[in-house]
Amino acid sequence: MKVDVVVKLGGSLAEGDANPQRLMTTLVRLARRHRLLVVPGGGEFAETVRGAFARLHLSEGAAHRMALLAMDQYGLLLTDLTPGSTAVTSLAEARAVVAAGRLPVLLPSAAIWAADPLENSWRVTGDAIAAWVAGVVGARLLVMAKAVDTNGSLSALDLAGGHVVDPVFGQVLRTPCWIVNGHYPERLEHLLTYGTTTGGEVLQ
């Protein structure tokens, strides 16, 4: 079963008092009509790794792998909050969950370790990983759900310069992409229904 839409769910959507459950619940509902796959960010779990990297002078390779595990942790958080979603550790498993009309959330560490498709550095975050996943599964759309507002068409280079996406994202992106504020799930639903929404389309 083909995955149509990859949604990268940023860790910023769970920071402070924010709760990504409303967005996830919307995605579970939309997964009945659209073949969706969620790629989690690292959020506060990745920030813990950043702190250890700076304090203990870890190698970037070790920190990269630890940050991938942080994405796994955020993915487990998301699925625990959201009935109807399922944590998966491979793209094959994700396709099986999609075929059942459910919402898969990819715990990406195993798949990324096996393929090793990106540089092992802090330049790579969940943004570039989501772009890589979208390309591998042949998705027609990548949605970057973040706690930011963007408007109009923006280049990946400009987005990286504004720290909206990581510096490697534009090098990996091969899929039509939108940046949408994940605190407003109705915007993402509008995008999947009508092909446009309040947010920013990424120029390639």
Side-chain angles (χ1 to χ4, degrees):
M1 174 66 74
K2 181 179 172 61
V3 173
D4 280 344
V5 181
V6 172
V7 180
K8 192 268 182 166
L9 205 151
S12 58
L13 296 172
E15 291 179 353
D17 294 331
N19 188 331
Q21 189 172 19
R22 191 163 73 94
L23 174 58
M24 281 292 294
T25 300
T26 299
L27 291 173
V28 165
R29 177 168 53 80
L30 291 173
R32 300 177 193 134
R33 291 182 284 130
H34 305 274
R35 296 187 285 267
L36 306 180
L37 169 62
V38 170
V39 175
E44 62 185 322
F45 305 106
E47 290 305 314
T48 298
V49 177
R50 284 183 186 274
F53 172 78
R55 183 170 58 86
L56 300 172
H57 309 292
L58 302 175
S59 68
E60 287 211 47
H64 176 74
R65 288 199 160 204
M66 291 168 69
L68 287 172
L69 291 170
M71 294 175 68
D72 288 0
Q73 291 181 75
Y74 187 39
L76 290 169
L77 179 153
L78 294 173
T79 55
D80 192 65
L81 286 174
T82 317
S85 65
T86 303
V88 299
T89 58
S90 71
L91 297 179
E93 192 179 356
R95 292 186 182 98
V97 173
V98 165
R102 292 171 61 86
L103 178 69
V105 177
L106 180 65
L107 311 183
S109 64
I112 299 299
W113 288 352
D116 197 21
L118 303 165
E119 63 183 69
N120 290 194
S121 78
W122 281 116
R123 284 168 32 88
V124 170
T125 70
D127 298 335
I129 290 169
W132 178 80
V133 168
V136 169
V137 301
R140 65 173 177 82
L141 179 66
L142 170 63
V143 182
M144 308 293 287
K146 292 174 170 282
V148 297
D149 281 308
T150 55
N151 290 289
S153 299
L154 300 165
S155 72
L157 185 62
D158 288 339
L159 290 165
H163 305 290
V164 177
V165 298
D166 68 47
V168 178
F169 174 78
Q171 301 171 25
V172 182
L173 183 65
R174 300 290 183 271
T175 307
C177 180
W178 278 74
I179 309 286
V180 176
N181 191 323
H183 288 311
Y184 303 94
E186 64 277 7
R187 296 181 183 178
L188 195 152
E189 183 167 6
H190 197 277
L191 176 62
L192 296 187
T193 303
Y194 300 105
T196 187
T197 194
T198 300
E201 186 173 11
V202 180
L203 298 174
Q204 297 186 61

